[in-house]
Amino acid sequence: MPYSVSPIGFVRSCFKEKFAIPRQPQLAPAARGVLELLAPFDTGEAVQGLEQVSHVWLLFLFHQALQDQPRLKVRPPRLGGNKSVGVFATRATHRPNGIGQSVVQLDKVEPGKLWLSGIDLLDGTPVLDIKPYVPYADSVASACNRIADGAPLLIEVQWQDAALGQARSHGLRLDQPLVELIEQCLAQDPRPAYQLPPPERRYGTRLWDVDVRWHYPEPGKICVLEVVET
Ligand code: SAM
């Protein structure tokens, strides 16, 4: 029997496209956004008390990955993209009902608006529910996951001088930690594992209102080439 749900709000995020969004929350603390609540949740009443909470769970829709036919097996990037496992053993975006969940830092609460950081959500993501993180219940000291047993290994991020200057000045203009955001996201190595990046190949993504371009001067190293307003 189908049940229907409707968004309680939408996230305005630094991530304007899927490529280079970290694969989980907390991996890029400089990734910020605002959850804008819809009526009747926008008056302040529904978030009253939330200022006592440092982190929240967001339940949301992977609105840019919704599919009619649910996949039973997926190939997580974590396993190199060439090994398949059951969808319920992963946090893949293509899943039955397309529901995602992320623990994010709650920086500020205003009527109708929650200011968030450490997010892994695309701009425009519809949010279905917000729940306070409850450390004694949500943090399991004995937990293990042999598929994803630790945060991804980081790679070195270098800058061309001009690109660093551009990122600093756009960061000041936007009043956002843009240099940190770029470094934290690119250090996760967003490239699909099966792609061997020749140095002449350019990669790019959009953060806030800037295009960020980079390449791999050698395997395991990223160099940021330019950061320009879109
Ligand atoms: N933390 C969540 C979870 O475990 O359910 C998301 C994990 S999922 C592996 C993270 C990826 O989802 C990001 O790297 C991004 O590419 C993608 N993503 C984020 N928001 C999305 C959206 N609204 N629609 C489709 N894909 C999205």
Side-chain angles (χ1 to χ4, degrees), residues 96-115:
N97 297 315
I99 292 178
Q101 58 179 91
S102 295
V103 175
V104 300
Q105 184 166 308
L106 180 57
D107 295 323
K108 191 166 68 160
V109 182
E110 278 180 6
K113 278 189 184 170
L114 301 186
W115 302 78

Side-chain angles (χ1 to χ4, degrees), residues 176-196:
Q176 290 292 336
L178 185 61
V179 172
E180 292 81 354
L181 177 63
I182 294 170
E183 288 183 346
Q184 291 165 7
C185 294
L186 298 192
Q188 317 278 327
D189 194 359
R191 157 193 69 92
Y194 59 82
Q195 269 180 21
L196 278 178

Side-chain angles (χ1 to χ4, degrees), residues 52-72:
Q52 298 173 71
V53 166
S54 67
H55 291 74
V56 288
W57 285 102
L58 297 182
L59 300 177
F60 60 91
L61 282 178
F62 289 116
H63 73 303
Q64 281 202 6
L66 294 174
Q67 287 186 325
D68 292 339
Q69 286 297 318
R71 294 186 193 177
L72 303 185

Side-chain angles (χ1 to χ4, degrees), residues 18 21-22 24 62-64 91 93 100-102 120 122 125:
K18 284 189 272 182
I21 303 182
Q24 286 301 338
F62 289 116
H63 73 303
Q64 281 202 6
R91 305 282 281 263
T93 56
Q101 58 179 91
S102 295
D120 59 347
L122 187 63
T125 294

Side-chain angles (χ1 to χ4, degrees), residues 15-202:
F15 297 118
K16 305 301 179 188
E17 56 185 87
K18 284 189 272 182
F19 188 51
I21 303 182
R23 295 192 182 120
Q24 286 301 338
Q26 313 295 329
L27 296 173
R32 294 182 181 169
V34 179
L35 169 51
E36 295 176 352
L37 298 171
L38 296 174
F41 311 108
D42 59 346
T43 61
E45 275 178 285
V47 294
Q48 202 263 314
L50 209 47
E51 67 289 341
Q52 298 173 71
V53 166
S54 67
H55 291 74
V56 288
W57 285 102
L58 297 182
L59 300 177
F60 60 91
L61 282 178
F62 289 116
H63 73 303
Q64 281 202 6
L66 294 174
Q67 287 186 325
D68 292 339
Q69 286 297 318
R71 294 186 193 177
L72 303 185
K73 301 279 279 288
V74 294
R75 296 170 189 274
R78 184 87 208 188
L79 298 179
N82 53 12
K83 220 174 131 189
S84 70
V85 285
V87 65
F88 296 133
T90 76
R91 305 282 281 263
T93 56
H94 291 100
R95 56 192 313 114
N97 297 315
I99 292 178
Q101 58 179 91
S102 295
V103 175
V104 300
Q105 184 166 308
L106 180 57
D107 295 323
K108 191 166 68 160
V109 182
E110 278 180 6
K113 278 189 184 170
L114 301 186
W115 302 78
L116 310 167
S117 58
I119 61 176
D120 59 347
L121 307 170
L122 187 63
D123 191 47
T125 294
V127 173
L128 302 176
D129 200 358
I130 306 163
K131 300 195 188 199
Y133 183 82
V134 178
Y136 79 84
D138 294 345
S139 161
V140 182
S142 61
C144 75
N145 180 334
R146 288 188 294 282
I147 296 177
D149 57 357
L153 292 177
L154 301 182
I155 69 169
E156 188 184 331
V157 178
Q158 302 171 336
W159 292 84
Q160 284 202 346
D161 289 346
L164 185 55
Q166 291 167 337
R168 284 190 179 132
S169 69
H170 287 302
L172 285 174
R173 174 180 59 81
L174 293 162
D175 193 22
Q176 290 292 336
L178 185 61
V179 172
E180 292 81 354
L181 177 63
I182 294 170
E183 288 183 346
Q184 291 165 7
C185 294
L186 298 192
Q188 317 278 327
D189 194 359
R191 157 193 69 92
Y194 59 82
Q195 269 180 21
L196 278 178
E200 61 279 10
R201 177 157 184 180
R202 299 313 190 227

